[in-house]
Amino acid sequence: MGLTATLQLILDTGCIRTLFISESGSHFSSDAQRAVAYDLALYRGVQVVGDRIQVKTADRNPNYNRILREGTELFIALRAHSNATITDETRSRPHAWEVATDWHARKETLRAIATHLNEEAIPTLSGTGRWSPSAVKKLLDSGPEADQ
């Protein structure tokens, strides 16, 4: 699992209680990245075990730890703010309609459009399952802003 995915699990799910790092050099591109990752995990209540040794703090210098803690808190605040305010437009019904309309104008089949929407991981109208030719037809017929 990559570092970004691991940190996202720590931040978003709360289900990780211990983070085991077998070799710190294999996951982190720098000591600063390692320190921030460890501090972020410790801040969220996750026990960190690196090279079979429990990590209590990211660094022994109290000033460095204070700066690291403040940076981590800022990161968490900004992430919480962006999660609440920024939406991914490629996951919207208007985007799905735009893609389907473009492909339909190029005389692609409904099945080809459905396959493309599935490959792009665009959510279906119901938000579950996979795109089918009939779902694409319903999308094209109803328009980008129609009620689901």
Side-chain angles (χ1 to χ4, degrees), residues 122-142:
I122 297 173
T124 61
L125 298 176
S126 66
T128 60
R130 297 181 49 82
W131 285 97
S132 65
S134 62
V136 171
K137 178 153 179 44
K138 182 178 177 183
L139 173 68
L140 290 169
D141 291 344
S142 62

Side-chain angles (χ1 to χ4, degrees), residues 65-134:
N65 281 331
R66 182 183 58 78
I67 292 168
L68 190 57
R69 169 93 48 219
E70 289 172 4
T72 301
E73 289 172 0
L74 176 62
F75 173 80
I76 290 171
L78 291 173
R79 181 174 171 82
H81 176 72
S82 69
N83 280 349
T85 59
I86 296 174
T87 58
D88 184 358
E89 294 299 323
T90 63
R91 302 288 164 250
S92 66
R93 182 186 181 117
H95 178 71
W97 182 81
E98 221 174 83
V99 170
T101 303
D102 180 49
W103 278 59
H104 190 65
R106 290 189 270 155
K107 306 291 186 213
E108 294 289 342
T109 65
L110 295 176
R111 182 170 304 285
I113 296 169
T115 300
H116 180 74
L117 292 173
N118 287 324
E119 287 172 353
E120 249 191 77
I122 297 173
T124 61
L125 298 176
S126 66
T128 60
R130 297 181 49 82
W131 285 97
S132 65
S134 62

Side-chain angles (χ1 to χ4, degrees), residues 11-78:
L11 285 171
D12 295 341
T13 64
C15 66
I16 296 180
R17 290 280 146 263
T18 305
L19 177 63
F20 291 96
I21 305 294
S22 57
E23 296 176 32
S24 60
S26 65
H27 297 286
F28 308 108
S29 60
S30 68
D31 287 340
Q33 189 183 62
R34 178 192 53 77
V36 169
Y38 285 6
D39 195 63
L40 182 61
L42 293 168
Y43 179 81
R44 298 294 286 202
V46 175
Q47 176 184 354
V48 178
V49 178
D51 296 326
R52 298 182 182 175
I53 300 169
Q54 183 175 356
V55 176
K56 297 288 186 188
T57 61
D59 195 282
R60 301 247 184 255
N61 182 337
N63 290 330
Y64 180 80
N65 281 331
R66 182 183 58 78
I67 292 168
L68 190 57
R69 169 93 48 219
E70 289 172 4
T72 301
E73 289 172 0
L74 176 62
F75 173 80
I76 290 171
L78 291 173

